[in-house]
Amino acid sequence: MYNKILIASALNQGFSYRALEAAKLLVSENGKIIVAHVIEPVNNVVQSFVTEDVKSKTLEKIKNMMAERCKDEAIESEILHGQAGREISKYANKIGADCIIIGSHKPGLEDFFLGSTSARVVRYSKCSVHVLR
């Protein structure tokens, strides 16, 4: 059993209810489950065309999506900024997570390979990583 589980959630790929169910099975009786979504930086050329209004509306939409998807559960949510694999590992270390649950990648031709984000999390996290396929 784990005391603090971090679920790495990509909102553009949907909230993984499988990850939540796995976390519920793995968390200790008084443990905590945290769902995190990472906002990755936009290309510099594109960024110069994105207004502050668009950025703030997008952030608000992401906050609302996280709140909606986590509303019925006794879990916390967190929005991170940066490169997904790096930020998930860094945040897990910061909060003292003892397990990260992450999906392997979007299904496709590369089914034999681990996705780049999950591979980076597996390599660099200091805690256990539960990869869902």
Side-chain angles (χ1 to χ4, degrees):
M1 297 298 223
Y2 296 104
N3 292 316
K4 196 176 285 186
I5 297 176
L6 176 62
I7 299 174
S9 174
L11 291 174
N12 61 330
Q13 296 177 18
F15 182 82
S16 175
Y17 293 99
R18 283 184 56 223
L20 187 55
E21 290 306 312
K24 288 178 184 178
L25 292 172
L26 294 170
V27 72
S28 63
E29 187 175 329
N30 294 318
K32 183 188 284 190
I33 298 172
I34 303 161
V35 177
H37 172 74
V38 180
I39 300 172
E40 296 214 23
V42 178
N43 174 296
N44 286 338
V45 173
V46 174
Q47 182 125 10
S48 64
F49 294 102
V50 179
T51 65
E52 287 303 315
D53 185 49
V54 169
K55 289 178 190 177
S56 65
K57 285 180 182 178
T58 302
L59 181 58
E60 192 61 35
K61 182 178 179 180
I62 290 169
K63 286 179 182 178
N64 290 338
M65 288 174 72
M66 289 291 285
E68 175 66 27
R69 293 173 189 210
C70 298
K71 73 178 178 184
D72 296 332
E73 305 294 337
I75 57 176
E76 295 177 18
S77 63
E78 188 68 38
I79 298 171
L80 309 173
H81 298 268
Q83 193 281 328
R86 186 176 303 124
E87 292 305 316
I88 292 164
S89 297
K90 190 164 68 172
Y91 185 68
N93 294 337
K94 176 182 173 184
I95 64 169
D98 46 4
C99 181
I100 299 169
I101 298 178
I102 189 167
S104 59
H105 60 80
K106 285 185 181 178
L109 182 60
E110 65 282 345
D111 277 342
F112 295 105
F113 303 105
L114 201 57
S116 60
T117 298
S118 51
R120 180 169 278 125
V121 169
V122 168
R123 249 185 252 118
Y124 297 109
S125 294
K126 296 178 181 176
C127 64
S128 298
V129 180
H130 186 93
V131 180
L132 297 173
R133 289 251 322 128

